[in-house]
Amino acid sequence: MAPWSKLPQSLLALVFARIFFPVDRACFQAVCRSWRSAARPPARQLPWIVFPNGGVMTPFDRVVHRIASYPKAITSCVGMAPADRTLHQLVSLPKTTTCIGSTDGWIAIDDRVGKMYRNYLLHNMFSGTTLSLPELDAAIGHVSKLFNIRKVLLRSTPDDVIALMTNHRSCPIILTRLGKGVWLPKSYAVPLVSIIDVAFLGDRLYGVTKDEDLVFLDIAFNYSGVPIVTGGKCVIGEGFDHDDYDDHDTEDDDLTKMTKKDMVPQEFRYIDVDESMENDIKTMWYLIESRGKLLMVRRQVVTPFEFTHTVEVFEADMRAAMWVPVEAWLEDQALFISRRFSKSVSAAFSTAIQKDAIYFADTEDVFDMRSQTVSAQGNDLDSYNAYLRSWNSRQLMWVFPPELVA
């Protein structure tokens, strides 16, 4: 039997291409000179899909795994080396925790302590780093069971601005910064209540409404370094501009006594298309940055069968104050869309990712911009779709291995 060092370089390269964790890559390259020479940077791979309970579907085996439980949390990641551990220990997260959002390789975790108390954490699935968010715990750690976070978006690193979208009319958008504090808007601030998705474009935060108004939220820092929204401007549409977004007055609202009247409406609206068949079409909007541009994806899904009916993509022309249709080309990019997190990545040198395509996490549909057709991501999806149907599809999210992080 040939020694491990004599394995074919082509075979070793295929093995290395399936290793996503930095520690595992280092171990692979440390075996011998032959293995180290085969360890070329792998081509971009499909990202992973994360379920609320911590289940992860990986692209190379299309099997739902469970991610490792997080270690003791720390409070900052500045200057920190990756943890000396991997996620091959497929241990489930504690039952009290839920994955509520993601950005690149980070997932946001809601850890419920008792009926009304919550702790919030950020966990990097590839370095093993876990960060506690004590300022967020202090602000929204004691809330009604009806209170939910719909999106957690990092502007860059966890030590920078973190934007959250919630289902509470009083604080639909929250900003926080690790070690600094939390900003909450004034009660029922307009147009924050009508925003259904947000995205960072550079340092700026934008929101879109279901009327397709594009709102720019001006972020600054107060004397303590807390990120605050100092004003808002509608750059596309006929929404209202506001110059007063002072800190939230906590005496006006009690988040522990939230009722259904306090909840922001669902992110989509239903349009009847065939009453005889009892089928509806639900329309959803997503905001996403791509190559320095801001895109809006308008998607219609047939329900209750949950498959994509039509997809339209628009680019924000802020000088002309209008949405410009994107007909067929995404400049060799691919868009990965989910309600919790969306990302544009280059598919120019990837054999796994289709150019000018849009991938949807909730239905595993792929929309081809060139042919304007919808297809499934894989041929053998029965087991995955069965697992998918057991969850609210809006709670699924993408997580990206380091190769896909720009």
Side-chain angles (χ1 to χ4, degrees), residues 211-223:
D211 293 325
E212 301 184 357
D213 294 337
L214 181 64
V215 181
F216 161 60
L217 302 178
D218 192 11
I219 297 178
F221 296 97
N222 67 10
Y223 63 90

Side-chain angles (χ1 to χ4, degrees), residues 146-160:
L146 296 176
F147 181 89
N148 286 310
I149 294 176
R150 290 178 170 172
K151 190 168 190 175
V152 180
L153 191 61
L154 280 64
R155 187 166 71 172
S156 57
T157 70
D159 291 290
D160 193 11

Side-chain angles (χ1 to χ4, degrees), residues 183 185-186 189-192 229-232 241-247:
W183 172 84
K186 278 188 173 181
V190 178
L192 300 186
V229 175
T230 59
D241 295 346
H242 288 265
D243 296 319
D244 188 6
Y245 285 105
D246 293 337
D247 289 347

